[in-house]
Amino acid sequence: FNHSYLTAGESIVLTPRISPKGDRVAFVSFAGTTPHVMVASIASGQPRALVQGDAMSFAPRFSPDGRQIAFAMMSGSNSDIYVADANGGPARRLTTAPGIDTSPSFSPDGSQIVFESDRSGTPQLYVMNADGSVQRRITFGGGYYESPVWSPTGELIAFTRRGGGRQIGVIKPGGSEEHVLTSGPSDEGPSWAPS
């Protein structure tokens, strides 16, 4: 009840992500020629582009303190993970591997980021330090791993696994104790309840 709209409904908007303080929403807007990450104040409803330029950007996630937003941005046929100040400013590139890097999610302490990458040939999950250093693959099971989301306690990462359908699973950040939680066939896009 008592709902209000932050966007005018003139174009498609996807993947809304509320900031930790609940005062802003980051989302992908298809207004204009290219999909791009926008940030809107919940109080004013005024959206603005997270970064300037014509490159396609998508998959935004706030840092735990709400000061940064991690997202994916295209350069030609390559997509990498970037971080930008949530209030605006230049983006800082964190990954440089050929292929598609997307779906970043911060650890609860903000020190690490999990993301999806097909640099090994199929979409798998990788963890890196928040500055982009020490990138390491954590999934090696059958199928494709997508849409990782770090748990509020930091103990687990939820994901979507594709291969004979789609299921939701969890894994420890180091890559151990993978468990598939659902039987599918079309389960995807996990999200955690607050701890």
Side-chain angles (χ1 to χ4, degrees):
F1 64 91
N2 198 27
H3 68 274
S4 60
Y5 293 101
L6 295 177
T7 59
E10 297 168 348
S11 63
I12 296 171
V13 293
L14 300 173
T15 62
R17 308 292 185 204
I18 297 176
S19 67
K21 293 183 179 178
D23 59 341
R24 290 176 288 181
V25 176
F27 59 93
V28 175
S29 171
F30 280 71
T33 58
T34 307
H36 50 281
V37 175
M38 302 289 287
V39 181
S41 163
I42 291 178
S44 70
Q46 293 298 315
R48 61 166 179 76
L50 176 64
V51 294
Q52 300 301 312
D54 297 328
M56 180 190 304
S57 58
F58 49 96
R61 289 263 184 201
F62 280 95
S63 62
D65 62 8
R67 295 172 61 186
Q68 297 183 89
I69 296 175
F71 62 100
M73 190 160 59
M74 295 296 294
S75 176
S77 62
N78 192 60
S79 167
D80 283 300
I81 305 298
Y82 291 76
V83 172
D85 190 301
N87 293 322
R92 186 166 44 94
R93 187 175 180 179
L94 301 183
T95 65
T96 58
I100 303 296
D101 295 347
T102 187
S103 301
S105 176
F106 282 94
S107 62
D109 64 4
S111 68
Q112 297 181 87
I113 295 173
V114 62
F115 64 100
E116 167 193 336
S117 176
D118 68 357
R119 63 183 66 179
S120 65
T122 62
Q124 301 292 328
L125 303 187
Y126 291 75
V127 171
M128 64 180 166
N129 293 337
D131 64 0
S133 64
V134 194
Q135 297 177 23
R136 59 204 179 276
R137 181 175 167 179
I138 65 166
T139 55
F140 295 90
Y144 299 171
Y145 291 77
E146 304 168 335
S147 310
V149 185
W150 219 300
S151 71
T153 64
E155 297 174 1
L156 294 169
I157 294 167
F159 58 84
T160 301
R161 189 171 84 178
R162 284 194 301 134
R166 289 182 172 87
Q167 298 96 19
I168 302 300
V170 293
I171 192 170
K172 292 208 168 189
S176 65
E177 298 184 38
E178 178 182 336
H179 298 287
V180 174
L181 303 177
T182 68
S183 57
S186 301
D187 303 334
E188 58 185 333
S191 182
W192 291 91
S195 60

